[in-house]
């Protein structure tokens, strides 16, 4: 119950066509049934043989040599429901609760970790995952923590709220467009980041921005965040990020280097409504 093989990307030409067709069929989430005849026929619908692969990740399939670093857009799939567990309990192709719990306690085998090979992944797109299932979210963060060499990472529209427990030591480009981040302290550790997109989140202040000051950050996108309306927004960002060249798609302007205005009664403006 982890990454679905439906995410195999064939656009790069890394795999033959047979790989795409084989693994896309295994990513179907509905249990395929035989043709349902009328009750008068006396025939009963039964699961097709392929249904035993419904919740099997690609790295548990026999004679499968695809590794995680070859999957450009993998799918972190949700686990089976309680009904599916109860219905399939006792069958040789189901994932039983006891086996699942034991696997979580003992961890993956060395062969499975080599098959996933997330540590050698350089570019990955984990966007639009619809992380509504607890097991799916747990597996999603497990993958993120193994991306120690990733340089380009897309995490668009995943309803993410906190990534502070994740470290991406070699990530140069991170796209977190359209998530639920409310603070810059919720970002992962990004010592090598050069391009960071945080557009369409809920970031309301620049607190925590200084943590990015030691990074070689060249471009930052904070458009459509409440922080855009804060006073001296651009000047504050550039003062904290000396290497920054582009903010919200606009190159650094001479006015962005002016000293921050001193807050006080003489510079404040008040609107009185009678």
């Amino acid at each position: 119950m982890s990454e679905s093989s439906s995410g195999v990307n064939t656009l790069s030409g890394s795999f033959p066509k047979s790989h795409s067709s084989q693994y896309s069929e295994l990513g179907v989430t509905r249990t395929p049934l035989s043709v349902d005849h009328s009750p008068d026929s006396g025939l009963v619908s039964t699961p097709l043989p392929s249904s035993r692969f419904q919740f099997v990740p690609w790295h548990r399939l026999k004679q499968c040599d695809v590794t995680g670093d070859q999957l450009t857009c993998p799918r972190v799939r949700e686990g089976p429901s309680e009904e599916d567990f109860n219905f399939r309990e006792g069958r040789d192709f189901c994932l039983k609760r006891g086996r699942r719990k034991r696997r979580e306690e003992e961890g993956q085998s060395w062969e499975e970790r080599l098959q996933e090979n997330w540590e050698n992944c350089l570019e990955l797109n984990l966007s639009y995952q619809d992380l509504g299932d607890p097991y799916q979210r747990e597996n999603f963060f497990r993958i993120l923590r193994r991306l120690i060499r990733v340089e380009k990472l897309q995490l668009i529209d995943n309803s993410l709220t906190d990534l502070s427990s994740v470290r991406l030591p070699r990530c140069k480009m991170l796209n977190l467009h359209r998530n639920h981040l409310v603070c810059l302290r919720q970002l992962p550790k990004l010592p090598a980041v050069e391009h960071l997109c945080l557009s369409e989140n809920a970031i309301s202040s620049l607190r925590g921005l200084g943590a990015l000051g030691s990074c070689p950050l060249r471009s930052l996108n904070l458009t459509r965040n409440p922080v855009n309306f804060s006073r001296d927004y651009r000047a504050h960002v550039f003062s904290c990020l000396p290497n920054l060249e582009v903010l919200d798609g606009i190159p650094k302007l001479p006015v962005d280097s002016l000293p921050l205005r001193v807050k006080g009664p003489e510079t404040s403006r008040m609107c009185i409504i009678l």
Side-chain angles (χ1 to χ4, degrees):
M1 292 188 315
S2 64
E3 310 81 38
S4 168
S5 53
S6 60
V8 175
N9 189 341
T10 59
L11 295 178
S12 61
S14 301
F15 316 113
K17 186 176 181 180
S18 58
H19 275 284
S20 175
S21 60
Q22 178 182 1
Y23 296 116
S24 62
E25 293 174 358
L26 300 178
V28 178
T29 57
R30 298 190 300 272
T31 302
L33 299 177
S34 59
V35 179
D36 191 5
H37 297 281
S38 63
D40 296 336
S41 64
L43 299 177
V44 181
S45 297
T46 57
L48 294 174
S50 61
S51 64
R52 67 182 181 275
F53 299 115
Q54 185 176 6
F55 298 111
V56 179
W58 97 94
H59 55 79
R60 293 182 183 273
L61 297 173
K62 294 182 179 180
Q63 300 178 347
C64 175
D65 57 356
V66 177
T67 58
D69 59 314
Q70 294 175 311
L71 303 176
T72 303
C73 302
R75 175 70 176 171
V76 184
R77 191 174 55 189
E78 65 182 14
S81 63
E82 291 292 328
E83 292 76 11
D84 289 325
F85 267 127
N86 295 332
F87 178 75
R88 301 174 189 277
E89 199 167 54
R91 300 193 180 189
D92 57 350
F93 55 81
C94 88
L95 295 176
K96 298 181 182 178
R97 297 176 189 232
R99 290 171 55 192
R100 174 181 172 183
K101 182 177 180 180
R102 184 166 61 252
R103 186 168 63 253
E104 291 174 349
E105 294 174 350
E106 297 176 356
Q108 290 181 304
S109 67
W110 181 246
E111 291 78 9
E112 290 176 354
R113 290 183 65 86
L114 289 178
Q115 182 81 24
E116 287 188 324
N117 198 28
W118 297 121
E119 287 77 7
N120 289 321
C121 184
L122 300 179
E123 183 174 352
L124 190 63
N125 189 340
L126 287 172
S127 303
Y128 310 108
Q129 295 293 328
D130 190 20
L131 302 174
D133 183 85
Y135 176 80
Q136 188 185 25
R137 291 185 64 87
E138 178 183 346
N139 205 27
F140 178 82
F141 278 90
R142 179 185 67 84
I143 295 172
L144 289 185
R145 294 188 182 99
R146 291 180 59 182
L147 297 175
I148 59 176
R149 293 183 178 87
V150 70
E151 296 182 358
K152 296 182 180 181
L153 182 59
Q154 303 275 354
L155 300 177
I156 301 171
D157 200 2
N158 283 329
S159 301
L160 299 173
T161 58
D162 193 351
L163 293 170
S164 58
S165 63
V166 177
R167 179 177 174 81
L168 302 169
R170 296 190 183 182
C171 185
K172 297 180 180 180
M173 191 281 290
L174 177 61
N175 192 340
L176 284 165
H177 171 72
R178 197 178 297 163
N179 279 280
H180 296 165
L181 300 173
V182 299
C183 177
L184 292 171
R185 294 191 178 98
Q186 296 172 334
L187 291 175
K189 280 68 175 179
L190 299 164
V193 67
E194 297 180 5
H195 307 280
L196 178 61
C197 180
L198 299 170
S199 56
E200 293 193 32
N201 277 266
I203 299 173
S204 58
S205 75
L206 294 175
R207 287 190 296 270
L209 184 64
L212 298 173
S214 59
C215 304
L217 189 62
R218 296 167 50 196
S219 67
L220 174 65
N221 192 336
L222 285 167
T223 56
R224 299 190 179 181
N225 278 274
V227 71
N228 294 148
F229 301 99
S230 61
R231 183 180 182 182
D232 295 327
Y233 160 68
R234 289 184 61 88
H236 193 172
V237 172
F238 281 106
S239 67
C240 293
L241 305 175
N243 299 317
L244 194 65
E245 301 173 1
V246 180
L247 176 60
D248 299 339
I250 302 175
K252 186 176 182 179
L253 304 173
V255 68
D256 296 327
S257 301
L258 296 178
L260 296 175
R261 288 179 292 178
V262 180
K263 295 183 179 179
E266 66 279 4
T267 59
S268 62
R269 290 180 293 178
M270 183 180 299
C271 178
I272 301 177
I273 301 178
L274 300 177

